[in-house]
Amino acid sequence: HLHACKLSAFRKKESHRLDEEIQSHLNDLMLPNARFVTSFTDSEPSLYGDDHVEFLISMNQGEDPKPLAKTASGGELSRLMLGLKIIFTHLQGISTVIFDEIDTGLSGVSAQAVANKIAEISLSTQVISITHMPQVAARSDHQILLSKKVKEGRTYAEIKELGLDEKIRQVAYLISGGDITQKQLDYATEMVMSHS
């Protein structure tokens, strides 16, 4: 029971720091009204402590924090998970982090905020990001195009590292979602070159 009490006290002390760090990342990720709280309820003492820990969040001003799974929309959840992943990657000393479409459900300013945050992480950790967002793709140091092809009735994945011109064209394709115009190419060039 003594060890469970010590673990509980340590968790409660550290939870304030976690809450503050997550709040900071939420602000950066265009969720200024979000509130993140670590909640503790008593439980039977065990190897895992004598409390039950739950993450609560409120995405809108005036709302009480509720369990994470019942509150966030797709885009909000993507940004929250990005904030959590940043903190835990740092705490655990992880050298490579993979984001599999962490930008799902985002567009415009929110997508740009996520792109900026992923670029910030990449300064200290190798980042592999699977994305369909031009804002994220434009920030990459290396862009790899994954595509599927059917040959003789079988599907094959094809992987190709893109050069600068190909990267610009692919970003333009992500912008257009189909046929690429010169204006989209010009915009893609501006996006890519402004971060090179």
Side-chain angles (χ1 to χ4, degrees):
H1 183 66
L2 177 63
H3 293 298
C5 287
K6 283 183 178 178
L7 180 57
S8 179
F10 177 76
R11 281 178 176 156
K12 287 174 181 170
K13 179 182 168 194
E14 290 299 309
S15 73
H16 298 298
R17 196 162 58 121
L18 176 66
D19 293 351
E20 287 173 9
E21 282 192 54
I22 290 173
Q23 195 65 55
S24 171
H25 287 299
L26 293 177
N27 292 341
D28 292 345
L29 292 165
M30 308 302 293
L31 291 168
N33 294 321
R35 267 192 320 136
F36 183 91
V37 180
T38 307
S39 168
F40 294 86
T41 53
D42 293 336
S43 68
E44 289 296 315
S46 73
L47 291 173
Y48 306 105
D50 62 358
D51 45 28
H52 174 73
V53 181
E54 189 170 30
F55 294 144
L56 306 179
I57 189 137
S58 164
M59 287 298 181
N60 300 302
Q61 196 166 350
E63 288 181 3
D64 291 330
K66 295 182 179 73
L68 180 58
K70 298 178 182 175
T71 306
S73 70
E76 292 168 339
L77 193 56
S78 296
R79 284 177 279 169
L80 175 60
M81 294 311 294
L82 176 57
L84 287 169
K85 209 159 192 179
I86 292 164
I87 292 166
F88 294 134
T89 295
H90 175 70
L91 288 175
Q92 295 172 346
I94 294 169
S95 57
T96 301
V97 62
I98 299 172
F99 295 128
D100 186 357
E101 298 193 31
I102 194 118
D103 45 28
T104 297
L106 302 180
S107 61
V109 177
S110 298
Q112 190 60 56
V114 167
N116 294 344
K117 188 57 77 172
I118 292 172
E120 180 187 318
I121 300 164
S122 74
L123 298 175
S124 59
T125 303
Q126 178 182 343
V127 175
I128 298 170
S129 181
I130 300 164
T131 185
H132 290 99
M133 296 300 303
Q135 295 92 330
V136 175
R139 297 297 302 264
S140 65
D141 294 323
H142 305 281
Q143 188 169 353
I144 297 169
L145 178 64
L146 298 172
S147 56
K148 289 182 181 177
K149 296 206 172 167
V150 177
K151 186 177 177 182
E152 296 176 4
R154 294 206 52 197
T155 303
Y156 296 89
E158 194 171 87
I159 301 171
K160 180 183 181 190
E161 185 168 4
L162 304 182
L164 181 60
D165 289 343
E166 293 170 307
K167 175 179 177 176
I168 289 169
R169 189 156 191 82
Q170 189 60 33
V171 170
Y173 176 78
L174 292 174
I175 292 168
S176 70
D179 295 333
I180 300 169
T181 67
Q182 187 57 50
K183 284 186 179 180
Q184 289 158 340
L185 274 172
D186 292 343
Y187 183 45
T189 301
E190 183 183 333
M191 286 177 75
V192 171
M193 299 310 288
S194 67
H195 300 297
S196 296

